[in-house]
Amino acid sequence: MTGRTSELSSATQGRKTVSGVVFDFMRSHGMDRIFGNPGSTELPMFTDLPSDFSYVLGLQESIVVAMADAYAQVSGRAAFVNLHSAAGLGHGMGSLYTAYRNRAPLIITTGQQSRELLLHDPFLFAENPTEFPKPYVKWACEPPTPQSVPQALARAYHMAMQHPRGPVLVSIPLSDWSEPAEPVEFRAVSSSIGCDPAALDALAVRLEAARRPVLVVGSGVDIDGGWNATVELAEALRAKVWVSSLSSRCSFPERHPLFAGFLPAHQPALANALGDTDFVLVLGAPVFTYHFAGGRGHVPAGADLCLISDDPAHIAGAALGQGIRGSVRLAAEGILQRITPRAQPALVGPREIPRLPICEGITPEFFYQTLTDLRSKDSIVVEEAPTARDALHDFFPIERPRGFFATASGGLGYGLPAAVGAALTRPEQPVIAILGDGSSMYSIQALWSAVEYDADLLVVILNNGGYAALRDMAKMGQAQRIDGVDIGHLDFVAIAEAQGCRAARCADGRELGSCLQALLQGKGPRLLEIVLTEET
Ligand SMILES: Cc1ncc(C[n+]2csc(CCOP(=O)(O)OP(=O)(O)O)c2C)c(N)n1
């Protein structure tokens, strides 16, 4: 008997099944999509799916999790995910790690064998299902009884949605879905954490006294809806604004006169970049995210630092300074009420972006310049092209909240499925994925989902024939040679077309503008492979 059939028989006796109660719970919490890849251990969940739900299929679980991650980040709501038992979760772990760092609220359910078989190591058994996803979930549970499945999901939802947000996991035995269960009550979540007013009073005094304060903004600002308050605060303090190193979101308009740039991810360059400041106020970012060890000093000598974040791990893990726990948005608004805005120096014009001439070869810089000229300012950009990141910073200013997404973990394979998830979340907004050839191949079958669900999405692949980031790092380390970094013989047009995605290739800078223009004006999923000019 399937879950739905027994639901009917149970319903006729006036009781709902676990399945029916779970769908009611999902409805009342605004979760009407299931991102998944199906298996027999969770079959009752998606057979005869109620007509107000949709199933978004990814052809590998890392794709499923990354699509859901972007859905959650772009919408600001929880996303519901279903993965197949242990092997499915295993495939999804890389993306789960990234979702955890991205602070994406995902309610992940995994299939488990029937309870009566669990003691006998059955086929597809998930052993220690709550240990497997750790430490990259905020909470994990296999409910003690079938009747507690809906309550476990409700608890999972509240864990995921409280700041700092993140993924949670509930392992559900196959036999539970058709069991009777009681409804769960809707409980609203309001999880913004206000800062201690006394701490804000003291901080305001220090900021007023600071000769040359600067701000460092991280993804927490955009996650928290703190964009406008941060702009106002920067203007009131006349503080330059740096983006924290390797930030996964844009948190400040990058052509604003006070925008100072992107902090490097190593010492002492980071401290040097902060320049002649006596007070560093960090909002919604770790202090600091480094990629390479070496050097001394995190801030310029003599400078003070205060970090505001709702993430206790940021505060506990800070290399120095005072930490104040709380919502970045509420904190910025609170500081604004406590300080007198400075009028000097005057704010002059938007940041100038340099112009490059048109050439035959295409560099990342020239690509970004061309895209800046042509793209809608409204578009959402998902980026995963490691060695083109500096060019992005220099030539492609992001100026809207929730307009930019990248992997916060550094794990590749996120960008393509995340762009599909973003396009499915915001069909009315253009979405552009900018990927390295290497990065795209970790999850290239996400194009299948883009085609299947007609995601309105332009995927740009910057093809430099290999893992240039690793080649560059090896060179910096004086290596004579490096293996395993050349992946040159890939035909991205053929790969896209084989999955039903329209595709083109451009290798000539003189044609890039028209090529991009034509694709930007198109609809549905389309891919442009750009063959980058070889470095000289
Ligand atoms: C899951 C995962 N595997 C491996 C790496 C290591 N890694 C960092 S950059 C890079 C190369 C990426 O190549 P590509 O996307 O073509 O960008 P490029 O370096 O050429 O700019 C690799 C393999 C990683 N970050 N994540």
Side-chain angles (χ1 to χ4, degrees):
M1 186 159 60
T2 68
R4 208 77 46 189
T5 322
S6 78
E7 180 188 329
L8 289 179
S9 58
S10 230
T12 50
Q13 295 155 20
R15 303 275 318 265
K16 283 213 168 191
T17 59
V18 168
S19 173
V21 173
V22 166
F23 282 113
D24 285 346
F25 156 78
M26 288 169 68
R27 255 181 219 109
S28 63
H29 289 73
M31 295 183 287
D32 57 3
R33 292 178 203 205
I34 300 174
F35 292 88
N37 186 273
S40 55
T41 49
E42 56 281 349
L43 205 59
M45 187 177 178
F46 50 84
T47 42
D48 301 329
L49 203 61
S51 58
D52 53 338
F53 284 82
S54 57
Y55 191 91
V56 181
L57 175 61
L59 298 188
Q60 208 262 18
E61 287 83 353
S62 67
I63 289 164
V64 171
V65 174
M67 286 196 295
D69 170 328
Y71 173 89
Q73 286 198 75
V74 171
S75 69
R77 306 210 314 254
F80 197 94
V81 179
N82 179 250
L83 304 179
H84 181 44
S85 190
L89 176 60
H91 286 167
M93 278 303 284
S95 293
L96 181 62
Y97 164 54
T98 295
Y100 184 72
R101 294 268 181 254
N102 283 347
R103 307 164 86 200
L106 306 185
I107 318 299
I108 300 177
T109 55
T110 45
Q112 171 64 296
Q113 264 292 3
S114 294
R115 283 185 193 267
E116 62 188 315
L117 297 177
L118 291 184
L119 277 181
H120 312 296
D121 292 356
F123 196 56
L124 296 172
F125 174 45
E127 210 165 302
N128 294 333
T130 58
E131 292 304 309
F132 190 18
K134 288 177 185 167
Y136 301 118
V137 283
K138 288 181 72 183
W139 186 70
C141 160
E142 186 165 274
T145 61
Q147 288 67 38
S148 51
V149 169
Q151 279 296 347
L153 284 168
R155 180 169 173 166
Y157 175 84
H158 283 266
M159 286 299 291
M161 288 299 286
Q162 286 184 65
H163 293 288
R165 291 178 172 168
V168 293
L169 183 138
V170 182
S171 161
I172 305 177
L174 168 67
S175 46
D176 287 6
W177 292 101
S178 53
E179 294 287 323
E182 298 299 324
V184 279
E185 298 239 327
F186 174 77
R187 291 183 293 132
V189 190
S190 165
S191 70
S192 282
I193 304 165
C195 296
D196 174 1
L200 288 187
D201 288 346
L203 173 60
V205 171
R206 290 163 76 200
L207 281 169
E208 299 248 63
R211 192 176 35 84
R212 210 181 295 240
V214 300
L215 301 187
V216 173
V217 295
S219 60
V221 173
D222 198 34
I223 292 171
D224 205 19
W227 177 287
N228 291 339
T230 301
V231 171
E232 251 190 87
L233 180 61
E235 290 176 1
L237 291 168
R238 287 299 197 262
K240 283 189 176 173
V241 180
W242 290 92
V243 175
S244 73
S245 45
L246 302 169
S247 183
S248 60
R249 293 179 58 155
C250 171
S251 292
F252 194 80
E254 293 172 5
R255 294 202 66 195
H256 190 283
L258 289 168
F259 179 77
F262 302 83
L263 289 177
H266 47 99
Q267 298 170 302
L270 191 156
N272 290 342
L274 291 171
D276 175 25
T277 179
D278 56 340
F279 196 96
V280 183
L281 177 60
V282 182
L283 301 175
V287 172
F288 290 102
T289 305
Y290 294 117
H291 190 179
F292 303 110
R296 288 168 67 94
H298 304 281
V299 294
D304 245 351
L305 182 141
C306 176
L307 157 68
I308 300 177
S309 173
D310 54 22
D311 188 341
H314 283 174
I315 289 171
L320 77 163
Q322 181 207 2
I324 301 178
R325 177 140 194 243
S327 147
V328 171
R329 178 179 59 80
L330 294 178
E333 289 168 359
I335 298 167
L336 278 164
Q337 286 165 6
R338 290 168 166 83
I339 59 171
T340 310
R342 303 181 190 197
Q344 294 298 327
L347 298 177
V348 282
R351 173 168 73 106
E352 287 297 326
I353 309 284
R355 281 304 293 181
L356 300 170
I358 297 178
C359 301
E360 192 178 334
I362 306 176
T363 59
E365 289 77 6
F366 183 68
F367 156 69
Y368 276 121
Q369 168 174 296
T370 312
L371 189 62
T372 299
D373 290 345
L374 298 176
R375 70 141 174 160
S376 153
K377 293 281 174 255
D378 223 24
S379 42
I380 295 176
V381 174
V382 182
E383 183 269 352
E384 195 171 284
T387 50
R389 185 82 184 241
D390 285 346
L392 169 111
H393 290 161
D394 293 342
F395 290 88
F396 194 73
I398 308 288
E399 298 180 79
R400 300 282 154 92
R402 290 196 186 169
F404 178 79
F405 298 88
T407 165
S409 69
L412 302 179
Y414 169 75
L416 182 51
V420 178
L424 296 178
T425 313
R426 288 260 182 281
E428 71 288 358
Q429 242 177 309
V431 175
I432 305 169
I434 302 165
L435 312 169
D437 48 338
S439 297
S440 71
M441 287 303 292
Y442 289 88
S443 47
I444 197 72
Q445 68 268 50
L447 286 176
W448 180 91
S449 301
V451 171
E452 179 68 13
Y453 303 108
D454 196 25
D456 197 9
L457 164 71
L458 173 61
V459 177
V460 177
I461 302 215
L462 299 179
N463 189 351
N464 58 14
Y467 295 162
L470 298 179
R471 221 184 281 139
D472 292 355
M473 282 181 230
K475 271 191 214 154
M476 272 163 40
Q478 313 296 319
Q480 296 302 308
R481 47 167 275 197
I482 171 167
D483 287 324
V485 296
D486 294 321
I487 61 166
H489 55 90
L490 285 165
D491 179 341
F492 286 98
V493 173
I495 291 172
E497 286 177 346
Q499 297 183 72
C501 179
R502 200 147 54 88
R505 178 179 297 112
C506 181
D508 189 328
R510 293 161 302 187
E511 292 163 12
L512 182 62
S514 54
C515 201
L516 260 178
Q517 177 85 301
L519 282 161
L520 285 165
Q521 282 167 353
K523 282 269 157 217
R526 56 248 190 250
L527 179 142
L528 176 62
E529 174 184 354
I530 296 179
V531 182
L532 295 177
T533 188
E534 298 216 353
E535 284 169 42
T536 47

